[in-house]
Amino acid sequence: MSGLFLTCCIFLLMFFGVRSMTIVGLVGETVTLSCNYNTRTHHTTSICWGRGEVPWTQCSDTLLSTNDEGRITYRESERYQLQGRVREGDVSLSIQNVQEIDSGIYGCRVELPGWFNDLKINIHLTILKAPEPPTSVITEAFGGNLAITEDYQEPVVNPVHSKESTLFWPQNIVRVAAVFVMTVATPVFIYGLTRVLKKKSHEGTA
């Protein structure tokens, strides 16, 4: 009877001693999976990170592990980093440049002194594609074809520097002179010529 009771206690400790959490990240980012323990109570101890839920012993598909001094003894890839204060109990795993394939379950095991006393954390990681930034799109028709331009801005003409709107630009001076000749000088010239011809005709008849 005592043996059965001890077995039940062991299974309860193994089952209820596991924590779980969910983290969502974006493709290309650095994602940190939290795992902390109290070094004042247990001192610095060995830990491991693996893909999959934390098994009865060690870690499944180990990604990273440390010794009792907090030094890394195994690392599957440089993408896996311990960027926290390991000697103070922060053994959170940072995964750099995450991709969708990194989605899944990660397990952290902290090997605390005592029987069936290890800290076990299972983290469900989901990596999503980053949303595309919005762009302003303007469509224009050229000869029946549809042209799409991104980030199009309407050109702005400053009237102060526009040649056509400057009154004393050389082209406009010529135009004003031509208009003056056509509207004023020409009629005066014709009127004077007519008077001279009439005068000469009177003198010829006299």
Side-chain angles (χ1 to χ4, degrees):
M1 188 70 178
S2 59
L4 179 61
F5 176 77
L6 180 61
T7 303
C8 291
C9 289
I10 292 174
F11 274 102
L12 288 174
L13 287 172
M14 294 178 62
F15 180 78
F16 289 104
V18 179
R19 304 177 189 175
S20 297
M21 65 180 68
T22 300
I23 294 179
V24 178
L26 298 178
V27 170
E29 292 184 340
T30 295
V31 175
T32 300
L33 311 182
S34 298
C35 186
N36 297 270
Y37 69 99
N38 192 339
T39 55
R40 293 183 180 179
T41 303
H42 305 291
H43 304 290
T44 304
T45 185
S46 58
I47 67 100
C48 65
W49 277 95
R51 282 298 288 265
E53 295 184 354
V54 180
W56 290 7
T57 60
Q58 300 300 319
C59 289
S60 59
D61 296 330
T62 303
L63 302 175
L64 184 146
S65 61
T66 69
N67 58 18
D68 292 338
E69 298 178 353
R71 296 180 179 177
I72 296 177
T73 57
Y74 174 79
R75 190 200 323 261
E76 184 180 272
S77 170
E78 289 297 325
R79 295 175 58 225
Y80 304 118
Q81 302 283 339
L82 297 181
Q83 298 181 340
R85 297 183 177 180
V86 177
R87 294 183 180 275
E88 297 180 11
D90 185 358
V91 291
S92 302
L93 179 68
S94 294
I95 308 176
Q96 300 176 348
N97 190 25
V98 293
Q99 303 299 319
E100 289 182 282
I101 195 174
D102 292 318
S103 298
I105 300 176
Y106 292 78
C108 173
R109 176 188 288 273
V110 179
E111 297 182 357
L112 301 178
W115 285 26
F116 310 106
N117 196 31
D118 291 352
L119 171 64
K120 298 179 287 292
I121 300 178
N122 292 325
I123 299 178
H124 297 257
L125 176 63
T126 301
I127 302 300
L128 305 175
K129 289 183 178 180
E132 297 182 359
T135 56
S136 57
V137 179
I138 299 178
T139 60
E140 298 178 358
F142 293 99
N145 298 324
L146 188 64
I148 301 178
T149 305
E150 294 186 2
D151 296 329
Y152 175 83
Q153 293 183 350
E154 184 71 18
V156 177
V157 178
N158 190 341
V160 176
H161 300 287
S162 175
K163 294 182 179 180
E164 295 299 327
S165 62
T166 304
L167 179 61
F168 297 103
W169 203 259
Q171 293 91 325
N172 287 344
I173 294 177
V174 174
R175 293 175 183 175
V176 171
V179 171
F180 176 80
V181 170
M182 294 297 294
T183 58
V184 177
T186 300
V188 171
F189 175 76
I190 295 174
Y191 176 75
L193 181 61
T194 304
R195 292 289 302 271
V196 170
L197 293 175
K198 286 183 178 180
K199 185 177 180 180
K200 286 184 176 183
S201 63
H202 286 300
E203 290 177 355
T205 54

